[in-house]
Amino acid sequence: MSLKDKELKELFELADNIGNKRYHRLTHQDFETYRKFDYWRYINGDYECGTTQDSKDWVRENSNWYCPICGYHYSDKGGKTIDHKLPRSQYPWLSMEFNNLWVICQVCNKEKGEMHWYKYEHYIFVHYPDLYLAVKMARPSQLLQSLKDSTK
């Protein structure tokens, strides 16, 4: 059965099962990957120092002027942020997986917080049904496929 034939909840149950197995077997490299994000995103890994040129360039190349969730101009919503679709607190080895990153406004990022994507998509569907299609289109399908493939 392909991923396209599965319901959303089943996909994320699969991702959680894989994530839980992997999370309990984190390697030294997984922690380095997790830390690498901080060094890629923040000068000297320090939030106070500002973002690196490399991460600024990535944001410029992977976003436009508007948040893909709410549709507002970033400057109207406190600026833009790099967010992990699958939270790095649950999937630290995906910290530098660029398919797991997207640029959203600060307000939407705070609202999403550390929610797992499935819970976030459900939350949007219930609370902001007019925004659901935008969130659904951003679903980390390739990431789910790669998690599924890693079990073979």
Side-chain angles (χ1 to χ4, degrees):
M1 177 180 282
S2 75
L3 283 178
K4 291 180 182 170
D5 297 330
K6 291 188 176 279
E7 293 293 322
L8 180 63
K9 185 174 180 177
E10 290 178 277
L11 291 175
F12 283 100
E13 285 172 357
L14 172 67
D16 282 341
N17 287 337
I18 295 165
N20 287 335
K21 286 179 191 173
R22 174 94 190 256
Y23 190 81
H24 294 295
R25 292 190 202 136
L26 291 177
T27 66
H28 176 71
Q29 183 57 50
D30 292 329
F31 287 110
E32 287 302 312
T33 300
Y34 183 87
R35 289 183 62 222
K36 185 178 178 184
F37 176 76
D38 284 333
Y39 289 102
W40 173 77
R41 175 85 162 100
Y42 303 103
I43 296 170
N44 299 323
D46 185 347
Y47 292 85
E48 302 299 320
C49 292
T51 57
T52 64
Q53 188 59 51
D54 198 26
S55 64
K56 286 180 184 179
D57 292 343
W58 185 87
V59 167
R60 195 175 306 107
E61 293 166 9
N62 290 280
S63 67
N64 58 23
W65 297 101
Y66 301 94
C67 178
I69 299 171
C70 65
Y72 283 92
H73 196 280
Y74 290 118
S75 63
D76 295 338
K77 300 289 282 252
K80 50 189 160 191
T81 61
I82 298 173
D83 180 55
H84 291 85
K85 294 178 181 183
L86 297 180
R88 67 182 183 143
S89 61
Q90 296 171 26
Y91 300 87
W93 63 93
L94 297 175
S95 297
M96 284 301 294
E97 175 61 53
F98 288 99
N99 288 330
N100 192 32
L101 302 178
W102 64 336
V103 181
I104 60 177
C105 74
Q106 286 192 19
V107 172
C108 288
N109 193 356
K110 283 182 183 177
E111 191 163 14
K112 179 180 173 285
E114 291 293 316
M115 264 189 250
H116 192 290
W117 188 271
Y118 172 70
K119 290 178 186 170
Y120 178 63
E121 208 170 301
H122 183 262
Y123 172 83
I124 292 294
F125 182 76
V126 170
H127 294 92
Y128 306 102
D130 54 320
L131 301 179
Y132 177 71
L133 285 179
V135 172
K136 182 180 177 185
M137 287 183 60
R139 185 182 293 165
S141 301
Q142 287 181 316
L143 219 43
L144 290 170
Q145 183 65 49
S146 70
L147 289 173
K148 181 177 182 269
D149 292 344
S150 70
T151 63
K152 293 180 180 178

